[in-house]
């Protein structure tokens, strides 16, 4: 029997290529590219007249106490420079102009009076600025201006609404968490109460009692309480004792203790004024007379307030 040729014979083995060995990787640190100082110095396109502006350090801003502000040698020539500085876009120059405005308010108030409305609007705008240094400087300026001009600020044109904006911004800044801003705003609010007629100021502060921010309500209530404590019996009558009583009753239910404490102070002042009017006495009352005063006070509260509000007012004013 013949044998068949075997076609599937094993092929000759081909040599297997060895895999190349991995070489260890060596990291090479590249040095940062150094700027070519010579080319930068000789660059014709470089702006030599207007070099890049640097951010001013807030610590370099001087917070000058009012007592250290000196009068100007030539105030007539300086006033125009202040007005131009307040309109500058450089916040550092605005701070300098605000400090100069403080000096004018203290020593040259007559020269600054024609520009008062414009300055108040700049103060309001500066208080809204996120820079703490500019904000604090504007609050300090407002304190000196309030002390220098007082009631004259209330005579600004009603169309500009400048004084109302100033009051609101001071209340907002006094309600902030930044302590050094709050302290300056509280000082400015105190100056406003001390140097402004309380009867006129109450009408400005009353609109802030209904503010949505409870801290603003509390600060407004404190300022109102300070105003009421300064008012005479005739001034309380002119404003309306019942209106103040209703305001105090609303504030007694406020969420913040500061507002409730101000409400108690307002109610106590009203009760003392009412008692003096009823008996015509300045000091203490006799026990028999005091009982009659208390009954008349309760009757007044019940006739002008809701039942719960009347009870609250009587509870904080009439000694038990």
């Amino acid at each position: 029997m013949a044998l068949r040729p075997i076609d599937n014979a094993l092929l000759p083995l081909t040599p297997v290529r060895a895999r190349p060995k991995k070489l260890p990787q060596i990291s090479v640190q590249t040095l940062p590219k150094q700027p070519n100082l010579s080319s930068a110095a000789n660059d014709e396109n470089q702006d030599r007249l207007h070099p890049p502006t640097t951010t001013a350090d807030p610590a370099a801003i001087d917070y000058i106490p009012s007592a250290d502000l000196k009068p100007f040698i030539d105030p007539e020539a300086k006033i125009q420079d202040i007005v131009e500085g307040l309109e500058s876009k450089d916040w550092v120059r605005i701070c300098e102009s605000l400090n100069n405005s403080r000096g004018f308010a203290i020593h040259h108030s007559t020269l600054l009076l024609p520009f008062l409305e414009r300055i108040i609007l700049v103060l309001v705008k500066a208080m809204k600025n996120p820079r703490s240094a500019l904000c604090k400087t504007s609050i300090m300026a407002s304190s000196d201006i309030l002390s220098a001009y007082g009631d004259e600020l209330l005579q600004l044109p009603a169309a500009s609404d400048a004084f109302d904006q100033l009051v609101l911004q001071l209340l907002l800044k006094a309600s902030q968490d930044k302590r050094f801003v709050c302290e300056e705003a509280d000082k400015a609010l105190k100056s406003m109460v001390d140097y402004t007629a309380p009867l006129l100021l109450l009408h400005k502060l009353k609109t802030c009692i209904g503010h949505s921010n409870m801290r603003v309500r509390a600060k407004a209530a404190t300022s109102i309480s300070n105003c009421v404590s300064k008012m005479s019996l005739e001034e309380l009558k002119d404003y309306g004792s019942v209106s103040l009583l209703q305001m105090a009753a609303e504030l007694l239910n406020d969420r913040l203790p500061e507002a409730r404490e101000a409400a108690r102070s307002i109610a106590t002042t009203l009760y003392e004024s009412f008692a003096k009017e009823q008996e015509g006495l300045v000091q203490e009352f006799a026990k028999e007379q005091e009982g009659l005063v208390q009954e008349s006070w309760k009757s007044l509260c019940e006739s002008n307030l809701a039942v719960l509000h009347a009870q609250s007012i009587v509870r904080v004013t009439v000694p038990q």
Side-chain angles (χ1 to χ4, degrees):
M1 178 173 124
L3 296 176
R4 293 181 301 173
I6 300 175
D7 297 332
N8 55 351
L10 293 176
L11 297 175
L13 294 176
T14 57
V16 180
R17 294 182 181 178
R19 293 183 178 179
K21 294 183 179 180
K22 293 185 177 180
L23 298 176
Q25 295 182 356
I26 301 176
S27 59
V28 180
Q29 296 181 354
T30 58
L31 296 176
K33 186 178 180 181
Q34 297 294 332
N36 191 350
L37 299 178
S38 60
S39 62
N42 298 324
D43 188 2
E44 297 180 355
N45 296 326
Q46 185 178 3
D47 191 354
R48 301 176 183 274
L49 297 178
H50 301 86
T53 57
T54 58
T55 304
D57 184 7
I61 303 300
D62 293 330
Y63 302 118
I64 307 173
S66 302
D68 295 342
L69 293 170
K70 305 299 181 182
F72 295 96
I73 299 176
D74 188 3
E76 288 82 3
K78 188 68 176 178
I79 187 66
Q80 190 60 36
D81 181 60
I82 292 177
V83 175
E84 294 176 358
L86 292 175
E87 297 176 353
S88 173
K89 294 183 179 180
D90 183 2
W91 69 274
V92 177
R93 188 182 178 191
I94 295 177
C95 287
E96 295 174 355
S97 298
L98 288 176
N99 282 329
N100 291 334
S101 299
R102 296 171 59 201
F104 265 85
I106 295 173
H107 301 290
H108 315 284
S109 57
T110 306
L111 294 176
L112 196 65
L113 188 59
F115 308 96
L116 195 56
E117 181 182 358
R118 188 187 308 180
I119 293 174
I120 294 297
L121 294 176
V122 172
L123 290 176
V124 172
K125 183 178 180 180
M127 289 184 199
K128 298 177 182 179
N129 194 287
R131 295 185 182 275
S132 299
L134 179 57
C135 180
K136 181 176 179 178
T137 303
S138 63
I139 296 174
M140 295 175 69
S142 67
S143 181
D144 289 328
I145 289 176
L146 287 165
S147 301
Y149 295 99
D151 294 344
E152 294 183 77
L153 295 172
L154 298 173
Q155 301 175 5
L156 295 175
S160 67
D161 205 21
F163 186 76
D164 293 340
Q165 294 183 50
L166 177 64
V167 172
L168 179 58
Q169 284 303 314
L170 288 176
L171 292 173
L172 286 169
K173 296 307 172 183
S175 307
Q176 281 191 354
D177 295 329
K178 294 180 181 179
R179 182 177 178 182
F180 72 100
V181 173
C182 293
E183 290 176 351
E184 290 299 331
D186 285 333
K187 292 178 184 178
L189 290 172
K190 185 179 183 302
S191 298
M192 179 179 65
V193 173
D194 291 341
Y195 294 96
T196 308
L199 184 60
L200 300 175
L201 186 57
L202 272 179
H203 293 286
K204 301 292 184 180
L205 292 170
K206 183 180 179 181
T207 58
C208 301
I209 289 296
H211 199 277
S212 58
N213 189 329
M214 59 182 178
R215 291 186 179 183
V216 173
R217 293 199 304 268
K219 293 296 182 180
T222 301
S223 297
I224 290 176
S225 173
N226 294 334
C227 284
V228 172
S229 64
K230 293 174 52 182
M231 296 173 70
S232 63
L233 181 61
E234 290 73 17
E235 288 176 325
L236 291 174
K237 287 182 178 180
D238 291 340
Y239 183 83
S241 299
V242 174
S243 298
L244 290 172
L245 191 62
Q246 293 171 346
M247 186 188 304
E250 291 290 338
L251 290 172
L252 276 176
N253 298 319
D254 199 89
R255 294 172 58 185
L256 288 184
E258 186 178 358
R260 297 195 296 269
E261 183 61 31
R264 295 188 191 96
S265 177
I266 295 171
T268 301
T269 302
L270 292 173
Y271 173 72
E272 292 173 354
S273 300
F274 178 81
K276 291 177 184 179
E277 182 185 20
Q278 291 293 311
E279 299 297 333
L281 299 176
V282 179
Q283 301 295 329
E284 299 179 355
F285 317 110
K287 291 185 178 180
E288 313 83 38
Q289 297 171 330
E290 188 173 357
L292 295 175
V293 170
Q294 292 176 1
E295 291 299 324
S296 300
W297 175 252
K298 291 179 182 178
S299 176
L300 176 67
C301 293
E302 292 171 353
S303 60
N304 292 282
L305 302 174
V307 177
L308 294 178
H309 287 175
Q311 293 175 355
S312 300
I313 291 292
V314 171
R315 191 181 305 115
V316 299
T317 54
V318 177
Q320 301 297 326

